[in-house]
Every structure is written in structure tokens, then in C-alpha cells.
Amino acid sequence: MAIKTEPFVVNLGPAHPSTHGVFRMKATLDGEVVVDMEPVFGYLHRGIEKLAEERTYTGVIPLTDRLDYLASMSNNLAYVLAVEKLAGITVPERAEYLRVIMAELQRIASHLIAVGAFLNDCGAFMTPILYMVREREKILDLFEMVSGQRLLYNYMRVGGLSQDIPDEFLPALDKFVRQMPGFIDEYDRLIKDNEILLARSKGVGILPKELAINISASGPMLRASGVEWDIRKADPYSVYDRFDFDIPTGTVSDCYDRYRVRIQEMRQSLRIIKQAIEQLPSGAVKSEVPHLIHPPTGEAYAHVEAP
């Protein structure tokens, strides 16, 4: 005998996975079947633009830390690049290379949480994400060496960096770069062919190439839909044009492709970091910049390939 059921609405969020409750999903369920899903955006406005109006250019940097708690270095970089373009400030080469190293470490750290949390949600409860947090902690150790912080780094400065790296940084970074490929291989052995992951991600959440472009998707989301577009190659900033690396893309445009693209991007980030270490010049890490920067009236736009 068929059981009579009625659809019911479940509110998922606003939740706080590093997002301060910015996203809510209204799910209409019939038993365990999702009948409808309505995404609801717009729960957060921290007034950063307004706060920035009353601060010095340097004083805005800590605000950019908080735009994405999993990518503070990348947010710092995008902002200082814009100010430097507006004010015509050049950055010492050593600082440029160190910026790239920090940005790529940040990409790996962010992807580790993205992949680990995704696998957790797919039902691989705790084990994969704990493996990935283990490696992320090593990156946070490196960030703590240079900035004293493990989450909000405030390390970038207009004209360079707040300070040079300590003596122990490069040996620790070299050790991480040598060990990390083996850990990524370990993730692959653990999860790549897991039947539960395959069942819950292959053919699920397909974002076709044309739609991804039309909705202005970017980063791993866009590349997983088969679009070979990466700002680091399409419009290189800093010294990215000096490094050899590939752009991983997907073919099916599903959740599994988005997971695989992030795994492959971590390998490419390690390639970039290794080259940056080999090419790292000596010298200053900050240009002579006045405490109060007075750029000419106008506008400037800078962009980075954030994780």
C-alpha cells in the first residue's frame, strides 16, 4: 500500500561555514526526495566599503582579511595591487615572488577545506577532512612564521610586504613542497574511486559550460565546466608570467569534476611555489611608501585568481 505523503519545507541555513550566514536554502521535500530548492542570498552586509571611506589606504588592508576567512592572503593581494596601480607604486622583485608563494599556499589551504568539507557532506564523515586539516595546519604554521597570525594575516602592504620571511621559513616551505605531493596521492588513494563519493557526485550538480559563462562563474567552478580560463595566465599579475603551470579543467561539469579540479590545482600550486623558491631574489620586500598615500584622482581595477 502506498504511503500518502505531503511535501514539507526545510530551511537549510542561514549557516556559518566561514560565511557568517550569508546563504539560505529553502528545500521542499517529499520524504527523502528533494522536490524543489530555492537559494536565498543577501543575508550579510558588513559595510566594508563604508568603513574604507574613513581609513587610510593601509588601514583598509585588515578589512580585506575578513572578506573570506579561508583566503585572507589572496584578498590582501587583490586590494594592494589596486592601490599600487592607482598610485603608480612599484614593488620590489623579492616581494613579488613572496606574494606569489603566499597566494599559492593560500590556494592549497583553501582547497583542502573545500574538498574536505565536500567529502564530509557526501558521507565520508570526518576522516578525509581530518587528513586535509592536517596539511592545512602546516601551511598555517608557515603563515604564522611570517605574520604572527593563523587566520587573518594582514601581511601584504602597499608597495610590498609588512616584513621579510624569517630564516626558518624557506627550510620549512621546502619540506612542505617535497612532502605535499605524497599527501595528495594519499587523498587520491583514499577517495578518488570511493563508490559512495562516485554515486553522490558523478552526474550530480551539472553546470554546463555555456551556463557557467553566462552566470559569471569563476575559478575552479568555471574550469570544472570545461572553460580553460585562469587570470594568472589570461591577464598575468605580479610575476605569474615567469612560471610554468597548467590549467586543470573538467569534462562533465559535475560535482566530481569540481572536486578533481581542486585536487589538480593543488598540484599546480606546488609547481609554482617550487619555481618561485628557485627564482627567489634577494633584496628589499617593500618600496619606500609614505604613511599617507595620496594618489591622483581616478580609478584603478586589479584582479587575482582567488581560490
Side-chain angles (χ1 to χ4, degrees), residues 14 34 41 91 99 113 122 168 191 194 198 210 245 264 281:
V34 180
F41 297 89
V91 178
R99 282 179 171 187
I113 293 298
C122 282
E168 64 268 24
I191 55 185
N194 180 282
L198 296 176
E210 295 75 18
F245 63 99
Q264 296 305 320

Side-chain angles (χ1 to χ4, degrees), residues 111-129:
H111 282 4
L112 287 171
I113 293 298
V115 172
F118 168 66
L119 295 167
N120 206 50
D121 290 344
C122 282
F125 186 63
M126 292 310 292
T127 301
I129 193 171

